[in-house]
Amino acid sequence: MTALAKATGDVVLKFEPFVLHVLCQELQDAQLLHSVAIDSGFRNSGITVGRGGKIMMAVRSTHCLEVPLSHKGKLMVSEEYIEFLIHVANRKMEENT
């Protein structure tokens, strides 16, 4: 709250979820890892194949959060709401684990 009171611009609370990039030797390896990731709840995972044949498997979650808190130095939400957002972000961090 002290930092928000001193802010002169826009402040955003942002939580970005776990991301793991794995370089795979074979497409079958990437497909197996993709299946495991999806079954584990990482619904935003995917496989990419680069021009040089690199096979990259990205394990990604959908647990993101981005909320504006202030605009041009003016606090736009209550302290109670900020505490709630911190609780939500901490819960999302636990889900990452």
Side-chain angles (χ1 to χ4, degrees):
M1 292 309 298
T2 303
L4 282 172
K6 294 177 184 177
T8 58
D10 295 351
V11 176
V12 176
L13 174 68
K14 186 172 185 177
F15 172 83
E16 293 185 353
F18 169 82
V19 177
L20 173 67
H21 290 101
V22 180
L23 183 61
C24 300
Q25 282 186 316
E26 302 290 331
L27 183 57
Q28 300 93 306
D29 300 330
Q31 289 170 327
L32 177 61
L33 182 56
H34 183 260
S35 294
V36 171
I38 296 296
D39 291 345
S40 298
F42 294 97
R43 295 181 302 272
N44 204 20
S45 299
I47 300 170
T48 57
V49 180
R51 291 182 188 179
K54 275 191 193 177
I55 303 166
M56 186 69 67
M57 169 56 206
V59 180
R60 291 186 296 254
S61 169
T62 58
H63 299 98
C64 50
L65 176 70
E66 187 169 352
V67 182
L69 302 178
S70 71
H71 179 64
K72 296 182 181 178
K74 180 182 178 203
L75 188 61
M76 304 302 288
V77 297
S78 69
E79 185 173 347
E80 180 182 7
Y81 185 64
I82 292 171
E83 290 173 8
F84 168 74
L85 289 174
I86 291 168
H87 176 73
V88 170
N90 285 337
R91 215 173 40 223
K92 289 178 181 291
M93 181 63 83
E94 290 172 9
E95 290 176 18
N96 271 334
T97 303

